[in-house]
């Protein structure tokens, strides 16, 4: 059984930031990162601009490639490697890779498992040509679809930041955009003044925005999709769902960690979880709200990158 001084679960912003910071502090410890996806250390915030072709190659979104982590930073990177069990008391994890499992032990561990799209329970939301944008693979799949199918229309479900960025990207590609938002306003985290400015720019650029919308189902009809709301039927070539995120923490349900109501791991300002030698960072955990002083869930890249450094 292989032993590491530090194991990091998750290889995106927080995880790779943590591993890199730990290496800067100590050149001699052994560090391993286990990532269930195929890419690590990429600029997720740049994906809408990759889709719009402002960024030509997804490689440009990768901050540091795997070989550099391995050869220059001496950090072992394991992609397509899903941690399926974590025992913080025994200081051991079990990893599944290529259908086989292997166990590793550690002195310290950083949980940086991120978050997944939170999909609303809409019948038909698993139909073909319905996408989410969370991982680099998601971005590649969307861009490949546009290149191959040449769609003329898209419906964006959700009126948050990702949908707004994608509205800009698709408008540049001459794809007709409709945004459907369940609440009464888009950009709900912004002030009313900013919401009004955003709405004006969207309308000026031909984006249709429909608020207060309840979707009954999504039906595939030949090569198109019908999004049926309580008010009307809307047809489109493809759909992207951006309705929030949920922390990837189900693996740690019985681990002794403390959780926020939505399942995020509660940590203090130094990313301590309350279990010795177990830390957490990024979209899987809480942050301290600087205004209220309370634990809060704010899954943004800025928070994830900063927490990664703190944890490291």
């Amino acid at each position: 059984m292989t032993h590491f001084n530090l194991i990091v679960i998750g290889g995106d912003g927080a995880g790779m930031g943590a591993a890199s910071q730990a290496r800067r502090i100590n050149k001699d410890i052994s560090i391993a990162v286990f990532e269930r996806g195929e890419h690590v250390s990429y600029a997720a915030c740049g994906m809408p601009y990759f889709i719009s072709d402002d960024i030509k190659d997804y490689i440009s979104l990768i901050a540091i490639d795997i070989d550099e982590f391995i050869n220059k930073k001496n950090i072992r990177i394991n992609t397509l490697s899903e941690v399926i069990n974590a025992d913080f008391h025994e200081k051991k994890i079990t990893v599944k890779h290529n259908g086989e499992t292997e166990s590793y032990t550690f002195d310290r561990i950083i949980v940086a498992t991120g978050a997944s799209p939170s999909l609303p329970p809409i019948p038909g939301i698993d139909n073909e040509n319905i996408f989410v944008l969370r991982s680099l693979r998601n971005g590649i799949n969307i861009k490949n679809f546009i290149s191959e199918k040449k769609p003329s229309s898209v419906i964006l479900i959700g009126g948050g930041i990702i949908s707004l960025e994608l509205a800009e990207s698709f408008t540049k590609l001459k794809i007709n955009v409709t945004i459907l938002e369940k609440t009464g306003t888009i950009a709900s985290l912004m002030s009313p003044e900013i919401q009004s400015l955003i709405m004006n720019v969207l309308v000026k650029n031909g984006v249709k925005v429909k608020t207060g919308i309840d979707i009954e189902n999504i039906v595939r009809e030949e090569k198109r999709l019908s999004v049926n709301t309580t008010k009307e039927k809307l047809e489109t070539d493809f759909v992207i769902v951006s309705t929030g995120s949920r922390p990837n923490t189900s693996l740690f349900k019985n681990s002794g960690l403390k959780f926020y109501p939505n399942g995020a791991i509660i940590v203090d300002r130094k990313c301590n979880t309350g279990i010795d030698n177990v830390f957490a960072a990024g979209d899987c955990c809480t942050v301290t709200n600087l205004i209220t002083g309370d634990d809060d869930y704010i899954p943004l890249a800025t928070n994830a990158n900063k927490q990664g450094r703190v944890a490291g």
Side-chain angles (χ1 to χ4, degrees), residues 10-20 24 33 35 37-45 47 58-69 73 75 77 79 112 136 305:
D12 202 355
M16 299 313 300
S20 296
R24 292 186 197 101
V33 176
E35 164 58 42
E38 58 190 298
H39 303 106
V40 299
S41 193
Y42 58 88
C45 295
M47 290 191 294
Y58 78 87
I59 298 298
S60 300
L61 295 175
I62 298 176
I64 303 175
D65 64 27
I66 291 177
D67 289 340
E68 183 169 345
F69 276 111
K73 297 192 175 187
I75 298 173
I77 308 294
T79 56
L136 183 52
N305 287 314

Side-chain angles (χ1 to χ4, degrees), residues 155-199:
I155 286 178
L156 307 178
I157 298 178
I161 293 172
I162 293 176
S163 285
L164 296 176
E165 291 178 338
L166 286 172
E168 179 184 17
S169 298
F170 293 137
T171 299
K172 287 182 179 179
L173 296 174
K174 309 300 181 185
I175 296 173
N176 295 320
V177 179
T178 300
I179 297 176
L180 303 183
E181 167 57 42
K182 184 178 180 67
T183 68
T185 181
I186 59 167
S188 61
L189 297 178
M190 305 293 183
S191 67
E193 293 83 2
I194 299 300
Q195 291 172 354
S196 178
L197 287 172
I198 293 171
M199 179 66 82

Side-chain angles (χ1 to χ4, degrees), residues 48-66:
Y49 308 103
F50 164 64
I51 291 170
S52 66
D53 219 32
D54 290 301
I55 297 173
K56 301 297 182 183
D57 192 331
Y58 78 87
I59 298 298
S60 300
L61 295 175
I62 298 176
I64 303 175
D65 64 27
I66 291 177

Side-chain angles (χ1 to χ4, degrees), residues 91-103:
K91 293 189 174 183
K92 181 176 73 173
I93 64 169
T94 303
V95 180
K96 184 177 182 181
H97 177 76
N98 287 336
E100 298 182 358
T101 59
E102 189 171 352
S103 295

Side-chain angles (χ1 to χ4, degrees), residues 101-119:
T101 59
E102 189 171 352
S103 295
Y104 303 86
T105 56
F106 58 86
D107 296 322
R108 294 180 179 180
I109 191 167
I110 298 172
V111 177
T113 47
S116 296
S118 179
L119 300 179

Side-chain angles (χ1 to χ4, degrees), residues 196-212:
S196 178
L197 287 172
I198 293 171
M199 179 66 82
N200 289 339
V201 172
L202 290 171
V203 172
K204 181 180 178 180
N205 285 275
V207 176
K208 295 178 181 178
V209 180
K210 298 176 182 288
T211 57

Side-chain angles (χ1 to χ4, degrees), residues 74-92:
N74 191 26
I75 298 173
R76 176 170 167 177
I77 308 294
N78 308 271
T79 56
L80 300 175
S81 300
E82 183 179 6
V83 177
I84 58 175
N85 187 59
D87 189 324
F88 297 142
H89 178 70
E90 296 291 334
K91 293 189 174 183
K92 181 176 73 173

